[in-house]
Amino acid sequence: MFPGQYNQGYGNQGGRHQGRQEGYGQGGYEQHQGGYSRPSGPPPGQGYGQGGYGQGGFEQNQGGYSRPSGPPPGQSGYSQHSQSSGGYSRPSQPPPQNSDGSRLYTSDTSSYQSHGITYQRPSGSPHGPQTGNGYSNCRGTKKALLVGCNYIGTSNALRGCINDVHNVYNFLLKNGYSADNIVMLTDDQKESVKVPLRANILRGMQWLVKDARPGDSLFFHYSGHGGQEKDDDNDEDDGMDDCIYPVDFQQSGSIIDDVMNDYMVQPLQEGVRLTAIFDSCHSGTALDLPYTYRAQDGGLKEYNVWKESKGDAINLVKGYATNNVGLMVSSAANVFKRFQTSNSGDKEKIKKENSSPADVIMFSGCKDDQTSADANEAGKFTGALSWAFLQVLNQDPTQTYLTLLQNIRTVLATKYTQKPQMSSSHQIDPNIKFVI
């Protein structure tokens, strides 16, 4: 039983701005040093308690995240979003548009080759960071929360997630972050407060955004299992909430995108930047950010019901050809749900509720309907997105948000089918310089 399986979700996820817990103080964790053993097998079949976790030698398997044999336990639902009071301020200089209202970006880039891969590079110096139009200058306090779940000792074990956390930690230290302001939650640690249990992750999210002020730069990185669960408040175009799975998900539940938006996006004010990396399956809209960008030109993506229903249409035909009534009914219901949600008059309300005046920009490992690879690169286990993200920035730190997305996709396309997504809490010009 595990991530990636569709289910009814987990109970008591908490509604908009409900169930807040006390946050961490500054630098609330010691840094763990040393190696850690590799787990084996496919995704979780047994949970974790509050104590330590067993170590030991494990077999190694190949390929991406494997699917569980059954769905996680059901849930009673997630309460409706409440309307935000006062509304959010928007950048005073909106991104350029075509005469028909569509987005227009001119990406001034050049290309170069390295190790047989063609990268995009901004021509000249990319503009930014900007101020006065809603963008953070990223010169204030820097804080980071890094979460790596290997699910050690379970049938759902992954191999590269703890590595990812340590690699990102080292990257941040080289880019202006202090060890005192980086919290790492990994399941190879002995103290339960440092293990990625659901409660610890949520408290870590609160610590990350606590007292954030204009100019601050926050960084969130998650590497582990991800999945989808039935959307109970009709705020998802595809009828499914994205979620991540703490190591104790069988006892405490998953953390769905609505909750993560509540904890990490809604509390932030204009002038704060949060960069979020989700190296997990089904993570395309893991923070429920309302604006997603095309990798080709940086324009806004629009949800296409027919395109998103392609798989169900195929299953509908298969069900008819094989006289599988159940498959036909479920596929038709999924298509109907998408049309129903797409035509809902609440879309603008939902977009407003998920927005924020802060610069929240997320990179996901894949689309909502894709999986992300648990990979082996240069003889070391790693998440494919984390590896590509660091490879691109270590090779050439001068990136715009658009070229970073393009180059990550280019690197991954040499071996993997997953397509990372980039989304934001308000409309941005993706040609501004990537800064953390």
Side-chain angles (χ1 to χ4, degrees), residues 182-259:
I182 302 177
V183 168
M184 297 197 299
L185 301 179
T186 56
D187 54 331
D188 62 339
Q189 303 195 65
K190 297 302 182 183
E191 297 179 52
S192 62
V193 71
K194 299 179 182 180
V195 173
L197 305 170
R198 187 178 191 273
N200 289 344
I201 294 174
L202 293 177
R203 281 196 296 268
M205 291 177 177
Q206 288 180 309
W207 167 84
L208 182 64
V209 303
K210 181 178 173 59
D211 298 327
R213 296 177 175 84
D216 290 353
S217 184
L218 315 176
F219 194 95
F220 175 80
H221 173 263
Y222 171 80
S223 182
H225 278 299
Q228 289 189 311
E229 299 174 358
K230 185 178 180 295
D231 170 34
D232 290 319
D233 60 357
N234 297 317
D235 67 340
E236 302 287 349
D237 285 324
D238 61 357
M240 305 299 293
D241 282 320
D242 294 350
C243 68
I244 62 174
Y245 290 93
V247 294
D248 63 338
F249 75 95
Q250 289 183 315
Q251 292 77 34
S252 302
S254 67
I255 304 176
I256 62 173
D257 46 18
D258 298 14
V259 172

Side-chain angles (χ1 to χ4, degrees), residues 323-373:
N323 199 28
N324 187 333
V325 177
L327 182 60
M328 293 171 62
V329 171
S330 63
S331 300
N334 289 339
V335 174
F336 175 76
K337 172 86 174 192
R338 290 193 186 97
F339 272 98
Q340 188 180 43
T341 304
S342 179
N343 294 326
S344 169
D346 292 335
K347 287 194 71 173
E348 287 305 313
K349 176 184 176 183
I350 293 169
K351 179 179 288 189
K352 182 178 180 181
E353 289 176 344
N354 290 337
S355 298
S356 170
D359 307 334
V360 182
I361 304 169
M362 184 194 87
F363 290 88
S364 71
C366 58
K367 295 181 178 180
D368 280 344
D369 62 351
Q370 291 182 319
T371 57
S372 291

Side-chain angles (χ1 to χ4, degrees), residues 25 44 52 77 104 156 206 221 227-229 287 315 398 425 431:
L104 172 64
N156 305 291
Q206 288 180 309
H221 173 263
Q228 289 189 311
E229 299 174 358
L287 273 186
N315 287 335
T398 304
S425 57
N431 291 302

Side-chain angles (χ1 to χ4, degrees), residues 32-102:
H32 176 75
Q33 301 294 331
Y36 35 84
S37 55
R38 299 290 180 204
S40 70
Q46 61 192 59
Y48 289 89
Q50 291 288 330
Y53 299 87
Q55 302 284 341
F58 299 96
E59 292 182 7
Q60 299 169 359
N61 56 10
Q62 301 296 325
Y65 298 158
S66 46
R67 293 297 186 85
S69 56
Q75 79 172 13
S76 58
Y78 181 83
S79 61
Q80 290 280 359
H81 302 279
S82 62
Q83 190 78 21
S84 175
S85 61
Y88 295 122
S89 58
R90 291 286 175 253
S92 59
Q93 301 176 14
Q97 295 183 331
N98 288 311
S99 58
D100 62 358
S102 61

Side-chain angles (χ1 to χ4, degrees), residues 382-395:
T382 178
L385 173 66
S386 300
W387 165 73
F389 174 80
L390 295 176
Q391 175 163 311
V392 170
L393 287 171
N394 285 331
Q395 179 165 296

Side-chain angles (χ1 to χ4, degrees), residues 398-415:
T398 304
Q399 302 284 335
T400 66
Y401 283 89
L402 179 56
T403 60
L404 179 57
L405 175 63
Q406 291 171 335
N407 289 330
I408 288 173
R409 281 193 169 198
T410 298
V411 169
L412 289 175
T414 61
K415 297 182 179 180

